C-alpha cells in the first residue's frame, strides 16, 4: 500500500492491473505522474467525497475533446465522415470496442472512447454536409443542450421544471404569434420530433370531432378519411396506422409538377371519399415538402377545409423557419387559418436535435384530449398554480427539455438573426440553382426557382450525355447517384442525399440549413461530383 | 473606429450601445478590459472566421457555470430548490427576463441567463431530492449527453449515425440477455420515455394479432380488450386512447394490499370481458409500480397469458434496474416469458433523462408493424448493409440519440457497478423503513418491507396522534402532506412527493434512485418533516 500524488491510496492490486508490480525501479515516478490518472474510475467523481477536483478534471478533458470536434467540424479541410462498414466498427477498429464490460474501465479509457465515437461518426455541422434537413452545429444551441443535460429534469410539472416550463410557454406564445394567431388563441407542446407533432395533430382533430373516441375507441366512430399530398411526409400515413385509422383511409392527393397539392384534386378526393361512405375529417397541408421543398397553397386548402368543416393541419416542420424571414414568410400565407401547425426549429432554424413544436389553435383541446389526471403526479392541492403542470396535456409522461437551447439561441440571435440565417440558406439554394443552370454536367429535376432551400438535380456522367431520353438512359441514370454517393462516403469529402420520386429516377437533393455553408462549398460539391462521376 | 484587445474592430455604435461614447476618459481602459467581452455576440463564434478562440472562451465560461452547479448539487448545505411562483419568475426576478428579443443579446448576458436558469431551477441531483423516480446527476452520464449534443445527429440511418446505431444494437442485445431471452431472439428501440415504450408494446401486440389494422384501421377489428392493474402506470390507458382502442376497453384489475395484481382477479376479468363480447389481446404486468414499487407476479400472469394466447407486456420502466442486481433480480422472475418489456435506464440506473427502451421478443415485428419505406431516407441501393437503418422500425422519423450516455456509464461502472448502485438504493429504502417503524411520528401505508426503493408513509402531526381512526382524522391527515410539501418547497431543504391512492388519503412516497443519498439524508428528511409539521 502506498500513497499517490492525488491522495488516492494505491494497493498492490492496482499496480498489478497496470503491470507495474514487477517494475519497482519506475515505481515512484509512475505513481506520481501516471497512476493517479490511470487508475481513476468513475467512483472517484462526484458524489464521492473530495470528488470535486477529479470531476472538474474529467469534464475539462472531455470539453477539450468536444471543442476539438467543434473546431474540426468547421474546417473545410477536415473530412465530413470517416466511413466504415458496420462489421468493421464491430470488429474493434484500433482498439475501439463497443462491448459492455462487467468491471469498470478507467476514466482515461472513457475519454479515448469519447474521442473514437466522434472520430467514426459524421460531422453534421460540417459546411459540406448537405445530407439532411437538419444540419449545422450552432455553438449557442450546443451550450443550451449542455446546460439542459446538466439540469437533468423533466417537463411534466412546475415543481421540477419551473424555468423550463415558463420558457416553453414564452416560446409557444411567440411562435403562435408569428404564425398569425391572436394573443388569446392557442396552445402547444414541444414534442420528440415532427412525426410525433403530426401525430398529435391527427389525434386532436379526431378528438375534436369525436370526443367519444377517447373512451370508446375507433369502433364507435364512422370510417374516417384524411387527406394529404403525394409529396407530404410519410409521418401522416404512419400516424394513421398508429392511431388505428388505417393507412388505406389516408387519401393521397395529386400534386403539380412542382410538388404542390392541386386544390381541385383535393376537392375531388373529398367528394370521392364521401361517395364511398367515408367521413373526411382532416387535411394535412405541407409547407416545405421533404424532397422538393414545395409549399402547398394554404389559402386554397383553408377554403376547402372551411367549406367541408375539416381540420386543417399545416406540416411546416421544414418550412416553418421561413416565417422568421420578412423576405420569405409570404410563402406560408394562409397558415394562420390552420387548426394546428407542426414547426421544427431543429430544421431550418439550426437548433440542435430535437426541437419540434405542435401548435394548436383551440385552447384547452390538448388537455381535454390527453388528460387522465394521475394523482401521484398532478395533484390539485399543490402550493402553486397547477395550470403550469403541463404533463397531462401530452401523450408522454416524462418529456425531455427541448426548449432551453431554442430560447438561448433566440436570445443570442434575436428574431432578426434567425431571419438573416434563413435568408442566407435560401441565397445558397439560389446560387446552386444558378450554377446548375449554367453547367452542362447537371440537369434540374424541375425548372422553377427553388421556393425553399431544396434543390433537386441529376449529375449526368459523360457516357450518358449523348443518350436520348428513354428507359435505357433512365435505367443507367438511376445508378449514378448511388454510385457517386458511395464514393463520396468512402472519400468523406462531402455528403448529400439522393432518392427516386414517382417516375423520376434517383436524383440528388441538396438542402441548406447550415449558415456555415458558403458559395465555395457549393462549387466544391459540384466539382467533386464531376470528379467522382467522370468515369460512370 | 478603434481596435480592441481581442482584434475586434469597434465602431462608434458599439460604444454608444454601451453608453461609453460620452466618457472619453475611460475609453482606453474599458476598451481593453471590458468591451471585448461586453459586445461579443453569437455571430463572433464559430463558424465565424477566427471564431475559434471566442468559441473556446464562451464554452469554457459556460462549463465553469455548469461545474459550479454540479458541485453545488452535491453539497448538502445547498438548497434543493429556490422556489418562486410562476408570476414571480415571469415578472423578471433580479433582471432575469424570459422575453425573446428581436436583436441579439451579448454573450455575457447569455451566460448570466444560463446562471439564472440553473439558479431558479431544481437540483434533481441533490442527495435530498426524493421527488421523482429519476434523480441523481451521474457525471459520466452528463458527459455522455454533452458529447451526444455536440455530435448532433439522428438515429434514423447508419450513414449519419454509424457509431450510435451500433451502440444501440449492443445495448439492446445486452438488455435482452439480462431479461433472459435467447441470443437469437428479440429486437428493440430506445424511445422518448416509458409512456412511448408502453405505447409501442400495445401497438405491436395489436399488429401481431391483427396485421390488417395497419392498413384498414380499428374499424376492421373486433372490440379489443386489454388488462392492467389498478396500480399500473396511466400510460397504458393513455396509449389505449391514442391508439383508438378506447380507455373503457382497458380493464383495470384488482391488486392486493401490497399493490400486486391478483392473478385470480385477472382470470375473472378476462372471462367477464369475453362474456361481454370483447376480445382480450394484451396484458400489462408491472415490475415496480409507480407509487408502491410493487412487482406483479410475473409467472402467474405469464401462465394466464399463455392459456388465453394473450400478449404479455412487462412495464419494468421502474423495476428493470433491479435486473442488474444479483440480490434483487429474482423479484422479476418470469420476465423472460414476456412478449415485450419496457425498461427505463433513466430511472433506477441513474442515466440522465431520457433513456427508455422497448424490448420485443419477436424479431422483425417492429419493422413490419411500422415500416412505410420512405425512399428519400431508406434507399435500398446504399453502399452498406441497410439493415442498420433502423428509422423505419420506429414511429418517429428523426429519433434522438439516447444511447451514448448509457453506454458510457456502462463502460464506467460495468454491469457490476450498476448492481451495487441498485443495491445501495434499496438499502436506503430499508433503512428508511426501519426508521419509520421505530419512530412514533410516522405511520407506514403498508406494513411489509419494501420490495423496491419506494417507501410510503404518513407523517402524523401531534394534533392528530390521539385521534381515533375515522373520517375526521382522514380528512385532516389528507391536508398534512400538501402543507408540509409547500413548506419544504418554500424552504428548499428537501423535496419529496405525495399523493392519495384509492381510499388512502395523501401520503408521502419516498423513492431512492440517487446513489449520492446517504443515511444522514434520510434522517434529515424525517427530522425536517417533524419540524415543518409540528404545528399542524
Amino acid at each position: 500500500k502506498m500513497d499517490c500524488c492525488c491522495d488516492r491510496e494505491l494497493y498492490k492490486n492496482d499496480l498489478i492491473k497496470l503491470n507495474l508490480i514487477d517494475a519497482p525501479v519506475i515505481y515512484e515516478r509512475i505513481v506520481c505522474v501516471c497512476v493517479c490518472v490511470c487508475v481513476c474510475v468513475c467512483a472517484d467523481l462526484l458524489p464521492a467525497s473530495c470528488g470535486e477536483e477529479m470531476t472538474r478534471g474529467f469534464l475539462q478533458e472531455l470539453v477539450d475533446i468536444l471543442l476539438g470536434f467543434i473546431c474540426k467540424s468547421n474546417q473545410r479541410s477536415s473530412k465530413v465522415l470517416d466511413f466504415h462498414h458496420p462489421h468493421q466498427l464491430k470488429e474493434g477498429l484500433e482498439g475501439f470496442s463497443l462491448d459492455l464490460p462487467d468491471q469498470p474501465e478507467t476514466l482515461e479509457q472513457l475519454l479515448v472512447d469519447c474521442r473514437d465515437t466522434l472520430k467514426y461518426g459524421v460531422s453534421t455541422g460540417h459546411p459540406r454536409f448537405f445530407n439532411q434537413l437538419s444540419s449545422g452545429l450552432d455553438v449557442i444551441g450546443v451550450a443550451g443542450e449542455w446546460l439542459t443535460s446538466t439540469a437533468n429534469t423533466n417537463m411534466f410539472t412546475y415543481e421540477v421544471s419551473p424555468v423550463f416550463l415558463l420558457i416553453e410557454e414564452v416560446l409557444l406564445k411567440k411562435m403562435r404569434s408569428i404564425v398569425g394567431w391572436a394573443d388569446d388563441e392557442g396552445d402547444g407542446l414541444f414534442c420528440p420530433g415532427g412525426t410525433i407533432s403530426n401525430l398529435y395533430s391527427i389525434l386532436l382533430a379526431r378528438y375534436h370531432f369525436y370526443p367519444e373516441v377517447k373512451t370508446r375507441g375507433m369502433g364507435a366512430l364512422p370510417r374516417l378519411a384524411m387527406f394529404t399530398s403525394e409529396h407530404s411526409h410519410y409521418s401522416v400515413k404512419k400516424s394513421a396506422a398508429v392511431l388505428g385509422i388505417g393507412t388505406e383511409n389516408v387519401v393521397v392527393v395529386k400534386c403539380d409538377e412542382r410538388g404542390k397539392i392541386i386544390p381541385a384534386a383535393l376537392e375531388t378526393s373529398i367528394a370521392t371519399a364521401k361517395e364511398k361512405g367515408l367521413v373526411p375529417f382532416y387535411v394535412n397541408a405541407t409547407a416545405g415538402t421533404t424532397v422538393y421543398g414545395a409549399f402547398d397553397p394554404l389559402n386554397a386548402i383553408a377554403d376547402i377545409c372551411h367549406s367541408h368543416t375539416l381540420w386543417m393541419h399545416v406540416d411546416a416542420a421544414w418550412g416553418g423557419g421561413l416565417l422568421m424571414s420578412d423576405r420569405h414568410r409570404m410563402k406560408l400565407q394562409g397558415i394562420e387559418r390552420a387548426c394546428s401547425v407542426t414547426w421544427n426549429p431543429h430544421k431550418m432554424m439550426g437548433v440542435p436535435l430535437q426541437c419540434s413544436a405542435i401548435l394548436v389553435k383551440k385552447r384547452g383541446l390538448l388537455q381535454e384530449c390527453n388528460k387522465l389526471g394521475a394523482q401521484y403526479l398532478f395533484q390539485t392541492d399543490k402550493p402553486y398554480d397547477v395550470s403550469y403542470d403541463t404533463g397531462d396535456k401530452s401523450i408522454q409522461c416524462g418529456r425531455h427539455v427541448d426548449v432551453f437551447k431554442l430560447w438561448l439561441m433566440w436570445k443570442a440571435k434575436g428574431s432578426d438573426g434567425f431571419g438573416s440565417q434563413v435568408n442566407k440558406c435560401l441565397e445558397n439554394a439560389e446560387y446552386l440553382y444558378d450554377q446548375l443552370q449554367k453547367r452542362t454536367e447537371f440537369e434540374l429535376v424541375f425548372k422553377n426557382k427553388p421556393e425553399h432551400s431544396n434543390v433537386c438535380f441529376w449529375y449526368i456522367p459523360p457516357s450518358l450525355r449523348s443518350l436520348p431520353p428513354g428507359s435505357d438512359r433512365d435505367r443507367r441514370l438511376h445508378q449514378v447517384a448511388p454510385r457517386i454517393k458511395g464514393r463520396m462516403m468512402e472519400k468523406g469529402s462531402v455528403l448529400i442525399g439522393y432518392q427516386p420520386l414517382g417516375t423520376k429516377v434517383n436524383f440528388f437533393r441538396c438542402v441548406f440549413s447550415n449558415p456555415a455553408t458558403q458559395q465555395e462549398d457549393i462549387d466544391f460539391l459540384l466539382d467533386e461530383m464531376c470528379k467522382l462521376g467522370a468515369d460512370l
Side-chain angles (χ1 to χ4, degrees), chain A:
Chain A
K1 181 183 147 184
M2 52 197 303
D3 286 342
C4 132
C5 56
C6 69
D7 283 342
R8 212 181 123 82
E9 286 177 333
L10 289 172
Y11 292 86
K12 214 174 154 182
N13 282 345
D14 291 326
L15 300 173
I16 289 172
K17 238 194 264 172
L18 291 162
N19 290 321
L20 293 180
I21 203 65
D22 294 327
V25 184
I26 53 166
Y27 252 36
E28 237 173 334
R29 198 177 57 84
I30 287 182
V31 166
C32 290
V33 179
C34 310
V35 174
C36 58
V37 174
C38 293
V39 298
C40 294
V41 291
C42 77
D44 301 322
L45 301 175
L46 284 170
S49 62
C50 313
E52 197 169 316
E53 201 181 333
M54 191 79 85
T55 300
R56 284 182 186 272
F58 171 74
L59 288 177
Q60 193 55 59
E61 288 199 57
L62 174 81
V63 166
D64 287 343
I65 294 171
L66 300 180
L67 277 166
F69 175 80
I70 293 170
C71 294
K72 197 163 160 246
S73 288
N74 278 285
Q75 283 160 10
R76 293 187 159 72
S77 58
S78 71
K79 280 180 151 192
V80 179
L81 77 165
D82 184 7
F83 181 77
H84 294 87
H85 285 281
H87 68 88
Q88 294 174 311
L89 280 172
K90 285 162 91 166
E91 282 157 9
L93 282 166
E94 295 169 20
F96 179 44
S97 162
L98 297 166
D99 295 344
L100 302 168
D102 288 334
Q103 295 298 321
E105 287 179 3
T106 63
L107 294 179
E108 190 83 326
Q109 179 57 42
L110 296 182
L111 292 168
V112 172
D113 290 336
C114 287
R115 207 173 280 121
D116 285 344
T117 298
L118 293 171
K119 180 176 171 206
Y120 298 120
V122 178
S123 287
T124 58
H126 196 289
R128 292 173 182 170
F129 174 86
F130 305 109
N131 208 63
Q132 242 71 39
L133 301 185
S134 304
S135 65
L137 187 62
D138 189 280
V139 172
I140 302 290
V142 168
E145 277 295 73
W146 289 7
L147 183 143
T148 299
S149 47
T150 308
N152 191 33
T153 193
N154 214 316
M155 294 291 279
F156 40 46
T157 62
Y158 183 84
E159 72 191 76
V160 296
S161 268
V163 183
F164 297 132
L165 279 173
L166 294 178
I167 283 178
E168 180 174 50
E169 185 186 56
V170 168
L171 283 170
L172 289 170
K173 196 172 173 194
K174 183 78 166 185
M175 290 168 84
R176 291 196 304 264
S177 85
I178 291 171
V179 160
W181 293 345
D183 246 11
D184 56 342
E185 272 181 333
D187 204 340
L189 278 176
F190 280 81
C191 301
T195 292
I196 302 291
S197 293
N198 283 342
L199 185 146
Y200 266 100
S201 75
I202 305 170
L203 180 70
L204 291 167
R206 181 174 72 177
Y207 180 81
H208 170 72
F209 290 114
Y210 303 98
E212 66 272 29
V213 71
K214 183 172 172 181
T215 49
R216 299 180 56 205
M218 286 293 288
L221 271 53
R223 193 170 148 207
L224 301 180
M226 12 186 308
F227 301 82
T228 193
S229 94
E230 52 184 345
H231 279 247
S232 69
H233 192 260
Y234 70 89
S235 53
V236 178
K237 266 199 176 177
K238 198 166 260 194
S239 300
V242 171
L243 297 170
I245 293 169
T247 54
E248 69 181 26
N249 299 316
V250 180
V251 181
V252 175
V253 183
K254 249 188 101 55
C255 289
D256 64 18
E257 200 221 33
R258 181 64 192 79
K260 293 167 181 286
I261 207 170
I262 303 170
L266 174 60
E267 271 285 13
T268 313
S269 299
I270 292 170
T272 309
K274 283 183 174 175
E275 278 162 26
K276 284 188 193 158
L278 275 74
V279 181
F281 79 110
Y282 173 97
V283 175
N284 170 62
T286 310
T289 60
T290 313
V291 180
Y292 281 12
F295 288 83
D296 283 344
L298 301 184
N299 268 317
I301 295 171
D303 290 342
I304 295 170
C305 288
H306 181 75
S307 77
H308 293 275
T309 321
L310 307 177
W311 182 281
M312 177 180 171
H313 174 66
V314 177
D315 176 1
W318 173 224
L322 272 63
L323 292 168
M324 303 302 294
S325 156
D326 289 337
R327 205 183 297 166
H328 297 288
R329 62 167 288 133
M330 84 291 183
K331 292 169 185 171
L332 293 99
Q333 252 169 23
I335 193 170
E336 69 283 359
R337 297 172 67 189
C339 305
S340 55
V341 171
T342 292
W343 175 357
N344 289 8
H346 73 216
K347 293 198 163 87
M348 200 58 193
M349 290 164 75
V351 180
L353 292 157
Q354 286 182 330
C355 190
S356 168
I358 175 73
L359 308 173
V360 188
K361 200 182 231 163
K362 187 177 169 187
R363 192 165 277 186
L365 192 65
L366 267 169
Q367 179 81 11
E368 280 307 309
C369 177
N370 290 320
K371 77 162 177 211
L372 279 175
Q375 286 194 303
Y376 75 92
L377 202 51
F378 310 116
Q379 306 91 326
T380 49
D381 50 7
K382 289 184 183 177
Y384 59 84
D385 176 358
V386 294
S387 72
Y388 287 92
D389 288 357
T390 61
D392 221 12
K393 277 188 189 177
S394 64
I395 301 175
Q396 307 104 287
C397 172
R399 194 157 54 94
H400 191 258
V401 178
D402 291 334
V403 292
F404 182 73
K405 55 194 165 189
L406 171 58
W407 180 80
L408 198 66
M409 283 174 69
W410 212 306
K411 292 251 177 196
K413 292 174 203 293
S415 311
D416 295 353
F418 278 122
S420 319
Q421 197 169 304
V422 166
N423 289 345
K424 175 156 189 211
C425 291
L426 269 74
E427 280 160 24
N428 277 337
E430 280 192 43
Y431 177 80
L432 171 58
Y433 172 77
D434 290 342
Q435 294 304 306
L436 290 169
Q437 280 193 311
K438 279 185 206 155
R439 295 176 69 152
T440 55
E441 310 95 319
F442 298 95
E443 209 172 282
L444 284 160
V445 170
F446 52 86
K447 298 294 164 206
N448 323 52
K449 213 173 101 169
E451 282 187 284
H452 203 314
S453 80
N454 310 47
V455 183
C456 297
F457 61 96
W458 289 281
Y459 166 74
I460 315 289
S463 68
L464 297 189
R465 278 178 212 159
S466 53
L467 283 188
S471 62
D472 180 47
R473 184 178 184 269
D474 277 353
R475 192 182 44 75
R476 290 172 63 181
L477 186 57
H478 190 58
Q479 292 164 21
V480 170
R483 293 185 64 185
I484 290 181
K485 167 101 177 215
R487 290 173 180 186
M488 268 179 191
M489 288 177 72
E490 289 287 344
K491 195 171 166 193
S493 52
V494 60
L495 206 63
I496 179 174
Y498 72 87
Q499 67 284 298
L501 190 71
T503 58
K504 302 208 154 68
V505 299
N506 277 328
F507 57 87
F508 289 108
R509 176 202 67 176
C510 195
V511 278
F512 301 95
S513 59
N514 182 357
T517 299
Q518 307 285 1
Q519 293 187 355
E520 61 171 302
D521 302 307
I522 298 167
D523 295 335
F524 178 88
L525 168 70
L526 297 182
D527 293 342
E528 189 73 356
M529 283 183 166
C530 293
K531 263 191 233 163
L532 294 173
D535 64 337
L536 293 180

